[in-house]
Amino acid sequence: MSTAIFWSAIATGTLLIGMALAYRNLVGPKWTGLILAFGAGAIICAATYQLILGAASEVQGSYYLVGMGLGAGALTYYFADRWVDKKGDAEGKDSETGQSGGSGVSILLGSMLDGVPESLVLGLSLVHSPQVSMAYIFAVAISNIPQGLGGTADMLKSGWPKTKITRLWLSVCGLSILAAALGYGLGQLLAGATGAVVDSFAAGALLVVLTNSMIPESLKDGGKEAGLSLVLGFAISATVALAQLG
């Protein structure tokens, strides 16, 4: 179980690196957009190679389970994001700008709906195979930095206090680490548990957060170079994934 907790902490802890970069204002809006685009490319790779294909290989022909997981993850994020927007309109607006920080909260919500299932699956997988997929850890860790950076920068821009933002990101990290421990425990109790549906759930949530939040924000701040940065993020993550397979 300690291994599951360790690797989950490594993968999700990079959210706090992004948060710290935003606090120190070390990255301008242009580079924030480009880094966000890079992370989006890494997430597309992780969703494709690590989550969807991994889930499809585990269900042994019952591909409808992957489809159900994708749909459930997408709908969960969609409705949760709408709820957060409505709540933000009432509680999260800056008194001077009138902004609610919707994009930042959407990215944070996506990080939670992505990170918790991913950590749960990580814990499950370590029961059946002690060897950690470094490509998977790399893709998750590298994509979390721009999520933490972009989400925090947007919330700061909208007047959110740093203490509240820090508590939110720490909560996401804590829930993810707890999910890894829970996944490991479930893997020991349920010998046939694979996490295929959980993987596809995470992929569904990720694809919606990419379309609704990360890619639009990266294009707005990073300009047309955001597309090149996205491809670079995908290429590097895919190279790491394929190198481990080889």
Side-chain angles (χ1 to χ4, degrees), residues 31 65 70 98 142 194 200 207 213:
W31 279 101
L65 293 174
L70 274 168
I142 202 68
T194 61
S200 54
L207 292 174
S213 300

Side-chain angles (χ1 to χ4, degrees), residues 94-166:
D94 185 297
S95 59
E96 296 180 359
T97 66
Q99 294 178 318
S100 64
S103 296
V105 179
S106 295
I107 292 172
L108 184 143
L109 176 64
S111 299
M112 182 180 69
L113 292 177
D114 158 40
V116 171
E118 282 179 345
S119 293
L120 184 67
V121 172
L122 175 64
L124 281 169
S125 66
L126 286 175
V127 175
H128 303 290
S129 175
Q131 183 180 2
V132 177
S133 171
M134 294 309 299
Y136 180 76
I137 297 296
F138 173 82
V140 173
I142 202 68
S143 64
N144 278 341
I145 294 175
Q147 287 189 70
L149 173 62
T152 302
D154 193 73
M155 286 186 280
L156 286 173
K157 192 188 303 180
S158 299
W160 285 56
K162 288 183 180 180
T163 52
K164 184 174 183 179
I165 297 172
T166 301

Side-chain angles (χ1 to χ4, degrees), residues 18-191:
M19 179 191 74
L21 288 172
Y23 281 171
R24 292 181 176 275
N25 199 25
L26 296 176
V27 185
K30 176 76 173 182
W31 279 101
T32 297
L34 294 178
I35 294 171
L36 203 57
F38 181 93
I43 288 175
I44 292 171
C45 178
T48 304
Y49 288 103
Q50 306 294 331
L51 299 177
I52 299 298
L53 290 182
S57 66
E58 292 176 359
V59 295
Q60 299 179 350
S62 300
Y63 299 122
Y64 68 92
L65 293 174
V66 177
M68 289 174 61
L70 274 168
L75 289 171
T76 298
Y77 175 82
Y78 172 77
F79 286 112
D81 189 41
R82 291 193 62 176
W83 177 79
V84 167
D85 281 344
K86 290 179 181 179
K87 188 176 178 62
D89 286 339
E91 299 178 4
K93 286 188 176 179
D94 185 297
S95 59
E96 296 180 359
T97 66
Q99 294 178 318
S100 64
S103 296
V105 179
S106 295
I107 292 172
L108 184 143
L109 176 64
S111 299
M112 182 180 69
L113 292 177
D114 158 40
V116 171
E118 282 179 345
S119 293
L120 184 67
V121 172
L122 175 64
L124 281 169
S125 66
L126 286 175
V127 175
H128 303 290
S129 175
Q131 183 180 2
V132 177
S133 171
M134 294 309 299
Y136 180 76
I137 297 296
F138 173 82
V140 173
I142 202 68
S143 64
N144 278 341
I145 294 175
Q147 287 189 70
L149 173 62
T152 302
D154 193 73
M155 286 186 280
L156 286 173
K157 192 188 303 180
S158 299
W160 285 56
K162 288 183 180 180
T163 52
K164 184 174 183 179
I165 297 172
T166 301
R167 286 198 303 268
L168 288 171
W169 285 122
L170 287 173
S171 297
V172 171
C173 294
L175 285 171
S176 297
I177 293 171
L178 183 63
L182 177 62
Y184 190 88
L186 287 174
Q188 290 184 315
L189 292 174
L190 307 172

